[in-house]
Amino acid sequence: MSNPVPPAKSQFGLRWLFALTAAVAVCAFVYRQAGRDEAIGVATAFGLLAIGLVVKQRRWLRRTAFAAAGLAAWIATVDYVLYFVKCDHCHGEMLVREVRFLHQPVWTRTTHDSVVLAHVLEDLGEPCTHDMQHRLLLWRFWGLIVPQLLFTGTLSISGDDSWYDSRAREIVRQFGTDNPDKGRELSEALARKDHLTIRAIMADIHTRTAAP
């Protein structure tokens, strides 16, 4: 007859089996939510946690394993990212900063850098609704401390917009008041990428603002 497994040893094995199953489930969730690298980081944290639970006799090693597990989990799940976003209509640009947990923003700050087209639409009474489809990840700080540069090229090349000063804006606002359909015409031309109409309206505006 085979010897029965002692109850304490059986319960110990069941606890570890349950812990392993839970760890695998959490890693699978992280993989679906954030990605492969994040799941590897969380799995590493679980491995270090297991080491800390096993080596009970060496207190310094146990504390080190627990600290390393917490650090690995933090770096894998929390990050700070910097995005460059550009409007597909008016070409206005934004820098978006986010602190995220598993890629879900918990803090966001946006810096706008509008170009002349955005200002013209606003002054004509038809502000751009901003179709921000062009999103480029520039920097990522894993755990808010480990930097990763993700883009090194040129973001945009802006022309000289100094001609569109406060005087020009007042002229365009009056132009929009006298021609209430002009803002909608420019907005629709931008939406359908009708460059001839866009150039014609902007040339007219440039002429009016350049007049003494």
Side-chain angles (χ1 to χ4, degrees), residues 50-128:
I51 292 174
L53 292 173
V54 169
V55 289
K56 296 181 179 180
Q57 304 303 321
R58 299 182 179 182
R59 187 172 298 178
W60 66 270
L61 181 57
R62 187 178 190 183
R63 291 175 178 176
T64 302
F66 285 158
L71 181 62
W74 172 264
I75 291 176
T77 58
V78 178
D79 63 3
Y80 169 88
V81 292
L82 175 64
Y83 287 101
F84 172 78
V85 187
K86 188 169 185 177
C87 176
D88 198 39
H89 292 165
C90 72
H91 307 296
E93 299 167 355
M94 294 191 304
L95 285 177
V96 181
R97 298 169 175 85
E98 292 179 346
V99 175
R100 309 182 304 177
F101 176 75
L102 293 179
H103 290 201
Q104 301 303 309
V106 295
W107 174 88
T108 302
R109 173 171 291 179
T110 302
T111 303
H112 294 267
D113 183 17
S114 299
V115 293
V116 167
L117 275 172
H119 290 312
V120 169
L121 284 168
E122 181 181 350
D123 294 336
L124 289 176
E126 194 75 22
C128 183

Side-chain angles (χ1 to χ4, degrees), residues 16-32 39-40 42-44 46-47:
W16 275 102
L17 179 62
F18 175 77
L20 178 61
T21 303
V24 170
V26 171
C27 290
F29 171 78
V30 172
Y31 178 81
R32 291 195 302 270
I40 292 174
V42 172
T44 301
F46 276 125

